[in-house]
C-alpha cells in the first residue's frame, strides 16, 4: 500500500501541475475583464481544485504511514525528515488552502473579477508547490515520476 501510494502521489503531481498551468494561462488572458469568464473556465478551475484535493488525500495518508515523517526532536536535524515532516507538507497545505480560497472567492466574485481572482491565488499556489516538490536534484530522495 505504501509503495503504491508513493507512486500515485508522485505521478499525480504532473496532472496537478499541468492543470494549474493551463488554468493560470487561461485566467491570465481574461484577467482584465474584457473577455467573458465562461462556465467552461469555471469548470477548468474546478477540475484543478479537485486534482489538488485528490493529491491532498494521498499526501495526508502518506503523512501517517511514511517513515520520512517523524516527530522526535532529532528529526528536525535530519534534512530529509525535516523536509517531509514540515517543509513539504506545510507548504503544500498552504498552497491547497490558497487554491480552495481562490476558487470559492472567484465563484462569488462579480463577472469581471473572476479571472483575476483565479489568476492571483492559483499562481501563488503554483509557486509554493514548485519550490517544495521533492525534485530529484534537491537531495531529499524524490523521483521524477
Ligand atoms: C499539490 C500538492 C502536492 C504535491 C505536488 C506533492 C508532491 C510530492 C512528491 C513528488 C513526492 C515524492 C514522491 C517520490 O518519492 O517520488 C511527495 C512525497 C510526500 N508527500 Fe507530497 N505532494 C503534495 C501534497 C502533500 C501534502 C498536502 C502532504 C501531507 C500533508 C504530503 C505529504 C507527503 C509525504 C509524507 C511524502 C513522502 C512519502 C515518502 O517518500 O515516504 N504531500 N509529494
Amino acid at each position: 500500500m505504501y509503495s503504491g501510494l508513493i507512486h500515485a502521489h508522485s505521478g499525480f503531481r504532473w496532472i496537478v501541475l499541468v492543470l494549474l498551468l493551463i488554468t493560470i494561462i487561461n485566467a491570465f488572458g481574461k484577467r482584465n475583464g474584457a473577455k467573458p469568464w465562461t462556465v467552461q473556465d469555471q469548470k477548468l478551475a474546478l477540475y484543478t481544485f479537485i486534482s489538488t484535493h485528490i493529491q491532498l488525500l494521498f499526501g495526508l495518508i502518506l503523512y501517517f504511514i511514511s517513515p520520512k515523517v517523524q516527530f522526535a526532536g532529532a528529526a528536525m536535524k535530519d534534512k530529509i525528515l525535516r523536509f517531509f515532516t514540515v517543509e513539504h507538507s506545510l507548504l503544500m497545505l498552504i498552497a491547497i488552502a490558497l487554491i480552495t480560497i481562490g476558487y470559492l472567492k472567484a465563484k462569488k466574485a462579480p463577472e469581471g473579477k473572476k479571472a483575476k481572482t483565479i489568476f492571483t491565488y492559483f499562481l501563488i499556489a503554483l509557486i509554493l508547490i514548485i519550490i517544495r516538490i521533492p525534485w530529484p536534484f534537491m537531495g531529499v530522495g524524490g523521483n521524477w515520476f
Side-chain angles (χ1 to χ4, degrees):
M1 158 153 166
Y2 171 60
S3 147
L5 262 175
I6 291 200
H7 282 105
H9 190 65
S10 185
F12 205 75
R13 98 184 82 173
W14 294 109
I15 293 173
V16 172
L17 288 175
V18 168
L19 279 173
L20 263 175
L21 208 61
I22 296 172
T23 310
I24 290 166
I25 293 169
N26 182 51
F28 178 77
K30 301 190 171 190
R31 78 193 185 290
N32 57 16
K35 288 186 195 159
W37 183 253
T38 64
V39 177
Q40 277 77 17
D41 295 326
Q42 191 66 31
K43 266 195 188 155
L44 177 61
L46 173 66
Y47 297 143
T48 307
F49 164 89
I50 293 172
S51 74
T52 60
H53 282 248
I54 294 172
Q55 188 69 329
L56 169 67
L57 194 70
F58 289 144
L60 281 178
I61 302 171
L62 278 172
Y63 202 77
F64 290 102
I65 62 175
S66 170
K68 293 177 190 164
V69 174
Q70 282 178 34
F71 298 97
M76 291 306 109
K77 294 196 184 93
D78 182 296
K79 184 181 169 186
I80 295 178
L81 298 182
R82 191 181 59 237
F83 182 86
F84 287 103
T85 308
V86 184
E87 297 172 20
H88 172 73
S89 306
L90 190 63
L91 266 253
M92 297 298 159
L93 278 176
I94 294 171
I96 295 169
L98 284 173
I99 287 167
T100 308
I101 295 167
Y103 176 77
L104 295 175
K105 273 196 160 198
K107 251 181 127 179
K108 292 189 198 137
E111 191 58 35
K113 295 249 163 76
K114 289 182 188 288
K116 197 173 177 199
T117 308
I118 292 285
F119 175 72
T120 313
Y121 280 87
F122 281 36
L123 180 64
I124 299 170
L126 177 64
I127 294 168
L128 295 181
I129 290 172
I130 285 178
I131 60 172
R132 271 302 166 264
I133 278 181
W135 299 109
F137 52 81
M138 287 169 78
V140 288
N143 298 298
W144 286 113
F145 291 99

